[in-house]
Amino acid sequence: MSFCGNCGSQVGEGIKFCPGCGASMDVQGQNTGSVNQSNFSDNVRNLNNTTDSTSNFTQEDIAQNKMMAVLAYIIFLIPLLAAKESPFARYHTNQGLVLFLAGIAVMFVGIIPIIGWLIALIAPLFITILAVIGIINAAGGKAKELPVIGKFQILK
């Protein structure tokens, strides 16, 4: 007995379509990829699989500055001024600043008729999701890049 690669349902030998989701099966009983739902769910699960540079920071610095790192995603100026000597807080402050600038860019793109309006409707949700990911990483003591925009470095 084989299993569908799309939904995990058991598929009998010689069955051409999964009884659970209707995905086409090849000769070995594997999903041929005609249904893209699993690709989307895999992409969502892997959204936070970004570069982790936590090992570059001391555990003492991380423990003392977790709250400042969390604040960096809400108001990036506070950690920039209050914890300027902390490399961990500064890392997250950079991520928060990049996120803030992305939000500003979305506002300017929203001026463009039709396409800009559509982007301006969807992008705030994406920016909110990135902020939540950043807050979760900072609260967990991790220094992981934000998906898509995390590679940009403004603060050194």
Side-chain angles (χ1 to χ4, degrees):
M1 178 104 6
S2 26
F3 296 90
C4 173
N6 188 47
C7 71
S9 297
Q10 285 187 344
V11 181
E13 299 300 320
I15 303 294
K16 295 186 183 211
F17 296 95
C18 172
C21 67
S24 177
M25 309 297 284
D26 67 9
V27 179
Q28 289 83 25
Q30 298 295 318
N31 184 316
T32 60
S34 62
V35 178
N36 289 328
Q37 290 175 342
S38 68
N39 292 340
F40 177 74
S41 61
D42 288 342
N43 289 341
V44 170
R45 271 187 236 115
N46 293 327
L47 188 63
N48 198 26
N49 283 347
T50 57
T51 304
D52 188 349
S53 57
T54 307
S55 61
N56 296 345
F57 306 100
T58 64
Q59 289 301 316
E60 182 181 323
D61 181 28
I62 292 171
Q64 289 177 351
N65 293 293
K66 277 185 187 178
M67 278 313 297
M68 286 296 158
V70 169
L71 282 174
Y73 295 96
I74 301 166
I75 304 171
F76 71 89
L77 270 174
I78 293 174
L80 186 61
L81 300 173
K84 57 185 166 192
E85 300 301 320
S86 166
F88 182 71
R90 195 164 185 82
Y91 175 86
H92 285 285
T93 300
N94 181 72
Q95 297 282 293
L97 176 59
V98 170
L99 192 62
F100 174 75
L101 293 175
I104 298 288
V106 166
M107 288 181 2
F108 283 111
V109 169
I111 296 170
I112 301 169
I114 302 171
I115 292 179
W117 298 338
L118 292 173
I119 291 171
L121 286 173
I122 297 168
L125 175 63
F126 182 67
I127 289 173
T128 302
I129 290 169
L130 291 179
V132 169
I133 289 171
I135 289 169
I136 290 170
N137 287 337
K142 295 180 182 172
K144 293 182 80 170
E145 291 180 350
L146 291 175
V148 182
I149 63 172
K151 293 191 184 312
F152 297 105
Q153 187 173 5
I154 297 170
L155 301 174
K156 302 279 179 189

